Amino acid sequence: MTYFNQVFAIAGKDLRSELRTKEALNASLSFAVVILLLFSFVVDPDSEMLEQMSGGLLWMVFAFSGVLILNRGFARELPNDCLDALIASPIPGSALFFGKAIANFALIAIIEAICFPVFGILYNLTWTAQLPVLVAVSALATWAMATLGTMFGALTVNMQLRELMLPMLIYPMLIPALMSAMQLTTLLVAGQAIDSEHIVWLRVLIAFDIIFTSLAAVLVETVLVG
Amino acid sequence: MRDKLIYGAGIFAALYFVRNLYVILLQLPDEAMQGAVYRIFFFHLPPYFTAVACFLGAAIASGLYLKTKNWKYDVFAVSATEVGLALAAINLVTGMIWGRQQWGIWWTWDARLTSALITWLIYLGYLMLREGIKDPSERAKNSAVLSIFAFFAVYFTYKANEWYRTQHPGPVLTIRTGKNTIDPAMQAMLFHNLGAFLLLAVVLVAVRMNLEDSQRAVESLRRRAHAIA
Amino acid sequence: MTALQAHDLWKYYGDFAALQKVGFEFAAGSCVALLGRNGAGKTTLLRILAGLSQASEGEVRILDGNPRQASVRSRIGIIGHGIGIYDDLSAEENLLTFARLYAVPNPAKAVDHWLERTDLARVRRGKAREFSRGMRQRLAIARAFIHSPNFLILDEPFTSLDDRAIALLQGLLKDALHQGATVVLSTHQLKEALELATHVLLLNRGKLAFSGVRTAEMLANPGWVYQHYGEAA
């Protein structure tokens, strides 16, 4: 019980802090919308190619704009030595990790919730046919981003070039999850259900989430305690 | 004594390579469809396996470092990762040369090349992380954690790319004789060259570990000098 | 009861020994003033005691447990170099967050009590960013005490505090000591610290140069320890 209380104390604090200033959210959202717009120059919005590339485009947008949010994750603990205050408190490392990962997840989910309709409008696509499954897939992939982003945020928190290192570390490792999300999203945005040919991607996503979340929960305390 | 062993192993590896080259260039027959150029495969696949072995070794050493905080595991981890990275680069470059000869293109997004490139980038990130942390204990601890993550990621990357490319098949780099099987002589050669590369990797890791030890000694002397001054 | 015990502590940064074979033992209710020049290893030692960092060798026991144990950490209050409060949150929200982290039984009540005690009740809804320096310091003190710790670790707590905050902190520390709490504080402000201290530790380049009871002589001449046991200038 205390554990959950602590997790949500951290998540709540992070979310409250971010929603108050909206610094990272605004930057992330503007960036996402701009890329969505630019993409109309890459591919003819009326062509069939767009349907094939929809998943790829959307997840590229989320990955790039998501990093702007992930960069803030542990960085917000640096002013006033708040990170020390947190590590000295009785909160277990895994609870700190989950609290921050949940906050990051929620913030990136906000970006996605805005981008999906914008995408539908700009490119004249009905994307809601498979909405529940699409939400589930997005949640899994966003959690993958949040997990790796929070973990590597802890790893790079004291580095000078943190904002450069974080994307450099996250992107290559995230590729399997992104690939799965792209494959499934293309399918779902076009209104098709996940068939036996594509179910393997769902398995990859779930396995990715389970394995990396477990690794992170176990190793985060080692990283944070000097 | 240890240095003598390393030199000896190095010379043996060099001779092994010379012998293998001789066999590859002069004794093995041409491949059914690719002609003479297939021989580069012997310098394409063995480095890849050796690199993966190095990365696995690094991940295990990292885990042991986190458990025991014994420096020698950290030294091994960074040395094995660097050697693995070099071998993975050889894998990529030979793949590109081969692809260029075969299909006239410098790059193809086949499952193995793609996952090899991603793997290379992941471990490049490891080295960049080490560069960016100055305190040795923190550097060892954080890069150990990253190394463990990296190895799991490499596994996922390989599997995911395999599945992806089965849906989007493209040109595949491999060797076959006329009957769609590998000539036993070629197969034997593959193992021989793998042996040579593994031996080379051992020698290089040992040399790199010596280098790392010297570097640490210099760093600590510098720190001591500053503390006294 | 022994509240604080250190045995053969070593801390290495690479090959550099920041702490060398440091050992001491203090009973509950002690107030230990940790002295030493800059770079002597005071902050390193305090960070190990607070569970922020691990000793390379040796053992530390606080309240008969390992500093990293959650049950021990929940009894420790710390004030480090940084004040450890969130600028974007209000005073109330800051304290509530930490109260929840420390599993304080009735968080809202504890927050109210400490806002009163540090005279911040009027500005409880104000963002910490908007506070004056003195107010931020008092908020930090509230944060450190909100879970009624019986072990306090303070790293140069009197540095750059205004008079009001110094008086507040001294009062709180006296009360805590009366109730049997143990305090370890490092300081350059010898006078304020020696008034409270029952014992004195002097670190010199990572080594323990002096460990003993705080005498009346030290109180009269704050520089006494440095003069007798400090390194040659």
Side-chain angles (χ1 to χ4, degrees):
Chain A
M1 197 53 229
T2 314
Y3 190 88
F4 285 114
N5 214 359
Q6 288 167 327
V7 169
F8 288 110
I10 298 286
K13 154 191 92 64
D14 274 8
L15 280 172
R16 191 168 293 140
S17 192
E18 183 54 46
L19 289 172
R20 215 163 259 175
T21 59
K22 297 197 192 63
E23 275 173 21
L25 260 184
N26 283 339
S28 187
L29 198 53
S30 321
F31 190 40
V33 171
V34 165
I35 304 179
L36 277 176
L37 190 64
L38 279 177
F39 200 71
S40 68
F41 297 104
V42 175
V43 113
D44 180 2
D46 294 325
S47 74
E48 268 178 25
M49 261 181 48
L50 181 66
E51 268 200 7
Q52 286 173 5
M53 296 174 82
S54 58
L57 164 64
L58 281 166
W59 283 99
M60 287 279 280
V61 169
F62 297 151
F64 285 148
S65 54
V67 159
L68 291 178
I69 287 175
L70 294 171
N71 257 321
R72 294 282 303 154
F74 269 93
R76 69 171 84 250
E77 306 296 340
L78 291 178
N80 301 332
D81 281 353
C82 289
L83 189 58
D84 281 350
L86 284 185
I87 300 174
S89 78
I91 189 172
S94 60
L96 181 56
F97 166 75
F98 280 122
K100 289 205 159 282
I102 289 173
N104 282 332
F105 174 85
L107 291 170
I108 301 179
I110 293 176
I111 304 286
E112 293 174 7
I114 297 175
C115 282
F116 270 113
V118 168
F119 174 76
I121 292 169
L122 285 180
Y123 296 97
N124 204 14
L125 285 174
T126 21
W127 50 280
T128 46
Q130 293 280 341
L131 193 57
V133 187
L134 183 60
V135 168
V137 166
S138 300
L140 286 171
T142 308
W143 181 255
M145 261 202 277
T147 295
L148 283 187
T150 307
M151 181 68 212
F152 294 154
L155 218 63
T156 57
V157 67
N158 287 318
M159 290 176 71
Q160 234 182 356
L161 291 174
R162 174 193 358 112
E163 279 162 23
L164 189 62
M165 277 309 300
L166 192 61
M168 176 78 211
L169 292 178
I170 291 181
Y171 287 138
M173 291 210 204
L174 197 57
I175 286 176
L178 280 182
M179 238 197 275
S180 311
M182 288 176 187
Q183 291 293 301
L184 292 170
T185 305
T186 303
L187 208 60
L188 295 168
V189 160
Q192 298 165 26
I194 302 180
D195 52 10
S196 57
E197 196 187 316
H198 288 92
I199 197 94
V200 68
W201 297 114
L202 195 56
R203 288 204 204 107
V204 171
L205 255 186
I206 294 174
F208 191 96
D209 279 355
I210 293 175
I211 290 184
F212 283 105
T213 302
S214 315
L215 268 181
V218 165
L219 290 171
V220 77
E221 189 145 345
T222 313
V223 170
L224 290 173
V225 176
Chain B
M1 181 59 204
R2 185 180 140 167
D3 282 349
K4 288 213 186 76
L5 269 177
I6 296 175
Y7 280 133
I11 292 177
F12 185 73
L15 290 174
Y16 200 0
F17 269 117
V18 169
R19 177 255 171 199
N20 286 346
L21 264 177
Y22 174 77
V23 173
I24 291 173
L25 290 175
L26 295 174
Q27 288 189 351
L28 289 179
D30 276 358
E31 208 242 2
M33 290 193 291
Q34 298 179 35
V37 76
Y38 83 101
R39 292 157 211 270
I40 205 172
F41 189 68
F42 297 112
F43 291 90
H44 174 69
L45 195 54
Y48 181 69
F49 280 134
T50 314
V52 172
C54 287
F55 295 143
L56 178 60
I60 294 174
S62 294
L64 287 170
Y65 174 79
L66 289 177
K67 216 174 159 68
T68 64
K69 297 278 191 274
N70 187 335
W71 284 119
K72 68 173 191 267
Y73 292 124
D74 179 55
V75 172
F76 180 82
V78 64
S79 309
T81 305
E82 278 193 18
V83 172
L85 208 56
L87 290 168
I90 293 177
N91 169 254
L92 285 171
V93 169
T94 50
M96 286 167 67
I97 296 175
W98 193 9
R100 175 80 174 132
Q101 283 299 314
Q102 280 282 283
W103 308 296
I105 45 173
W106 278 112
W107 184 259
T108 176
W109 293 99
D110 87 319
R112 286 204 213 101
L113 269 183
T114 311
S115 49
L117 179 60
I118 296 172
T119 303
W120 194 82
L121 286 173
I122 290 176
Y123 282 99
L124 186 68
Y126 172 94
L127 289 187
M128 283 180 65
L129 184 76
R130 286 191 77 97
E131 256 323 282
I133 303 178
K134 295 305 170 198
D135 171 43
S137 313
E138 191 164 328
R139 181 170 62 207
K141 179 169 59 85
N142 286 5
S143 57
V145 170
L146 189 64
S147 185
I148 294 172
F149 266 88
F151 196 72
F152 277 94
V154 165
Y155 174 72
F156 263 104
T157 302
Y158 182 73
K159 278 313 245 196
N161 266 289
E162 215 175 48
W163 287 320
Y164 187 74
R165 301 302 161 184
T166 53
Q167 290 176 358
H168 307 253
V172 177
L173 297 171
T174 188
I175 52 180
R176 295 271 179 271
T177 56
K179 298 195 206 87
N180 217 32
T181 52
I182 293 190
D183 180 325
M186 293 182 194
Q187 192 156 26
M189 190 63 242
L190 215 49
F191 282 112
H192 273 299
N193 231 20
L194 179 60
F197 267 105
L198 282 171
L199 192 56
L200 179 66
V202 167
V203 171
L204 288 176
V205 168
V207 170
R208 178 64 180 85
M209 282 175 77
N210 279 347
L211 200 60
E212 180 74 16
D213 282 335
S214 306
Q215 198 154 350
R216 271 164 212 256
V218 170
E219 259 178 37
S220 87
L221 283 172
R222 273 217 194 97
R223 247 180 262 121
R224 232 167 266 175
H226 289 173
I228 295 174
Chain C
M1 172 193 126
T2 308
L4 172 61
Q5 226 179 340
H7 184 66
D8 282 351
L9 277 183
W10 289 78
K11 176 69 180 175
Y12 289 102
Y13 291 110
D15 272 353
F16 172 69
L19 290 177
Q20 301 178 42
K21 211 168 159 67
V22 172
F24 46 76
E25 194 173 313
F26 294 104
S30 310
C31 177
V32 181
L34 180 59
L35 308 180
R37 300 277 176 229
N38 281 331
K42 304 194 297 295
T43 300
T44 307
L45 179 59
L46 289 178
R47 286 179 68 87
I48 293 176
L49 295 184
L52 292 172
S53 144
Q54 286 189 317
S56 309
E57 276 174 47
E59 212 200 343
V60 171
R61 290 193 82 69
I62 292 187
L63 300 173
D64 218 24
N66 184 311
R68 276 314 292 164
Q69 275 171 256
S71 56
V72 172
R73 283 185 282 160
S74 63
R75 309 247 35 85
I76 299 179
I78 69 162
I79 301 181
H81 278 293
I83 51 181
I85 61 172
Y86 293 100
D87 287 333
D88 292 323
L89 300 182
S90 71
E92 199 175 26
E93 286 162 352
N94 262 294
L95 292 182
L96 209 55
T97 301
F98 281 100
R100 289 173 73 184
L101 288 182
Y102 279 90
V104 171
N106 193 341
K109 197 157 150 240
V111 169
D112 286 340
H113 170 80
W114 283 99
L115 285 172
E116 290 282 343
R117 194 86 189 265
T118 50
D119 205 15
L120 291 170
R122 283 177 306 115
V123 291
R124 59 195 297 150
R125 299 253 159 76
K127 307 279 172 300
R129 177 196 300 288
E130 294 156 7
F131 286 2
S132 71
R133 188 165 179 169
M135 289 159 81
R136 287 156 68 86
Q137 289 158 356
R138 280 181 279 141
L139 186 57
I141 292 171
R143 175 192 56 72
F145 278 87
I146 192 155
H147 55 293
S148 310
N150 56 13
F151 198 99
L152 286 146
I153 300 174
L154 311 164
D155 196 348
E156 300 189 26
F158 297 113
T159 305
S160 65
L161 280 197
D162 65 8
D163 294 340
R164 203 162 153 197
I166 291 182
L168 173 68
L169 184 56
Q170 279 183 315
L172 286 172
L173 288 176
K174 284 204 185 94
D175 286 345
L177 286 166
H178 265 305
Q179 288 168 13
T182 313
V183 174
V184 181
L185 60 96
S186 80
T187 184
H188 287 301
Q189 238 96 332
L190 300 176
K191 189 164 103 34
E192 282 90 348
L194 289 175
E195 270 171 27
L196 289 165
T198 57
H199 295 78
V200 172
L201 274 177
L202 174 66
L203 278 183
N204 187 359
R205 285 191 204 278
K207 296 206 187 88
L208 197 59
F210 174 80
S211 170
V213 178
R214 193 267 291 156
T215 63
E217 195 180 348
M218 289 181 203
L219 196 54
N221 174 13
W224 186 90
V225 184
Y226 282 108
Q227 286 155 17
H228 286 78
Y229 292 91
E231 58 190 22

